[in-house]
Amino acid sequence: MPSHSTAHYFLEGLADLGIEFLFSNLGTDHVSLIEELARWDREGRAHPQVILCPHENVAIHMAGGYAAITGRGQAVLVHVDAGTANASMGMHNLFRARVPVFLMAGRSPYTLRGELPGSRDNYVHFVQDPYDIGSLVRPYVKWEYTLPSGVVAKEALTRGYALMQSDPAGPVYLSLPRETLAEQWEESAIRAFPPARYGPVRAGGTEPDIARRIAAQLLAAENPIAIASYLGRKPEAVAALDALARECGIRVFESNPVYLNIPRDSPCFAGFDARAAIAEADVGLLLDVDVPWLPKYVPDNPGARWVHVDVDAIKKDFPMWGFATDLRVQGDCATVLGQVLEIVRADADAGFRARAATRIAGWEGMRQERVQRITAAAGISGKAGAISPDFLCAALNAVLGQDDIVINEAIRNTPAVLNQIVRTRPQTYFGLSGGGLGFSGGMALGAKLARPGSRIVQFVGDGGFHFSTPTSVYAVAQQYNLPVFTVVLDNGGWQAVKESVLRVYPDGTAAAANAFHSRLEGRQRHFEQIASAFGAYGEAVSEPGQVAGAIERCLAAVDAGQAAVLAVRVTPL
């Protein structure tokens, strides 16, 4: 009976699960996997494509970008505790975004004297062996395991995959001892664990009585609103929300949108600030949202009845979560909203439909006022060294198509991106769900890998650009022909730090001295040259009159297959 290494069966297990990519930063712990990959290549066997990333921050977020578009979690292979630590910030972001990813790390050998194949043969094998490697990512995973034997390699992979893809989706972590990967096993010892029988569990709808209760509240409502954040991870949910909003006359707001949740040209889309509407609402829907508003700034409305429909309604990974609701439903928003819509359409009479239509028509004045404010902001171009972010984003909006994808890490300039870059189609906008800056470069690459026919436009502040390990981003873009367009909004530092101090100490010493320790200054700041060092087209602008031409040249480079970086000196902090 033929025998093979655990690494061989491990690759078979990944292939059985349909894993397409192995985003990797390899090390001494992966020798058996590297040997097997070479043998499979020699024999012409198909395996997940290895994407080498010079830094784990890019690897983990690239897997996240691919999964955000496709819904299919991919594998990330990193080096012992060091690689796990480098990937941990990305795990935090993807955990909060409920994006599936399978992080795997080798482990230092546990034998010291050559007792087993793969035993320690290097200094680093002693210093890269922590007491608890899983603790580096444990707060951000749904499942964690150390592979104890090759005989269960496929079963462990199947179990991790099922947890990763089950609703709410999220990261999982598997560590792989070097001796375990080198073990030899006869084929007869290895069982198959087909995903069809051991696969993930999906969230569904709700009980008919619950759907009827929600429909009844909407049918009786005079001023209903909805707030969403990550509902749009499923395109069908976007269509369901827009249809229900139009049927019932619901104003829809997005709070810290992670995805596009409703077409922003819908008559029911009301913007990104629900504070005034909350005070007037009688029925409110919280739909796949973690932080619908900031309680410090939004008074309770005792007259509002709140319905919360969420794939994670209890917020089990938030130690504190202070939003009272009158009905809480854990389920899939697309399915639940579809159930409610069916009941509303069956039960609504002509009077209700007339009232809903009147409500929607009555918002036109507010919508026009909002459009006028956005247009007016876009018309102020700024000055030399202080280009207006709204002016810049409006110029980009004029040349982007609705299938182009925006990855937003503008942070304090996010309002300009949200208001000026009009997105109308699902999965054409992605924002930051977690708190780890530096996510957008890798996410952009992963999105491009998933949607090669779409332009990917990454907005990032200068502070976030530093965090994003940009040399790794553009090295990967060049090696794998993934032309993304990066727009660096350079305001000279971290505006968020300054604003946070001012919120707590508006008249304090730091404010008086303008000393916030948030400026990133230097005689030279050439973000575009970092990209150029790895084959990307780079350009910098500091005058409003330079913007349109620079955008045209950058997009021409991207359309010709070359990544591009446009560094823009925007209004300084």
Side-chain angles (χ1 to χ4, degrees), residues 230 308-316 321 328-331:
Y230 58 92
H308 185 191
V309 182
D310 203 309
V311 73
D312 181 21
I314 196 62
K315 306 300 176 188
K316 63 183 179 60
W321 194 80
R328 193 172 296 172
V329 179
Q330 181 130 335

Side-chain angles (χ1 to χ4, degrees), residues 454-478:
S454 295
R455 287 170 171 165
I456 313 298
V457 184
Q458 170 203 4
F459 290 89
V460 61
D462 53 311
F465 189 80
H466 282 292
F467 283 127
S468 70
T469 59
T471 57
S472 180
V473 170
Y474 301 107
V476 172
Q478 178 177 236

